[in-house]
Amino acid sequence: STNLQAHFKKYLQVLGINENNIVSMKKKGFVIPLRDRAEGVARGRVLLVGDAAGLADPLTAEGISAAIVSGRIAAEAICSPNIAGAKGVCKTYTKRLHQEWLVDLRVSAQLSKLLYEKPRLGKLLVRCFPGAVSRVGPAIFAGERRFTQLGQHIAWHKRMLIKFFRVVV
């Protein structure tokens, strides 16, 4: 298991900060809500966005992008002149959220389950595809690229999978 306290002390040393000189330090941690959205993100006159909707990315645990995107989609659904009533707003919000965000979260959830349950597989992927991982990984973590956009490069995926399975088998 990871000793966060030891990593924190090393980080302070790298920064040149002596722990004895710190006047006050409070450590807090919060659970990042990652949950099944089967119960819905819209009900009655309420639209859940960001963390309230459990929209943080399962692989990166990043949630600010989801809060911004879901907030924008909610505002557009509410303000749309073509949508009548709370039911219409909820239906539109849910549909657009699914199209623009939830599909990516499902891919991320599957990938995170695979990589977190089998960390050796992640190391093998990095070893087999260092260029792809170094280009795509940071872009995904930074929110500049989405998991579903990777599927647009089918030929690239086929080459990667063939190369990967040759190494594994």
Side-chain angles (χ1 to χ4, degrees), residues 43-56:
R43 200 173 296 121
R45 295 176 50 114
V46 176
L47 303 178
L48 300 177
V49 300
D51 284 354
L55 297 178

Side-chain angles (χ1 to χ4, degrees), residues 83-95:
I83 302 169
K87 283 187 180 181
V89 170
C90 287
K91 186 175 180 180
T92 300
Y93 173 66
T94 302
K95 181 179 177 182

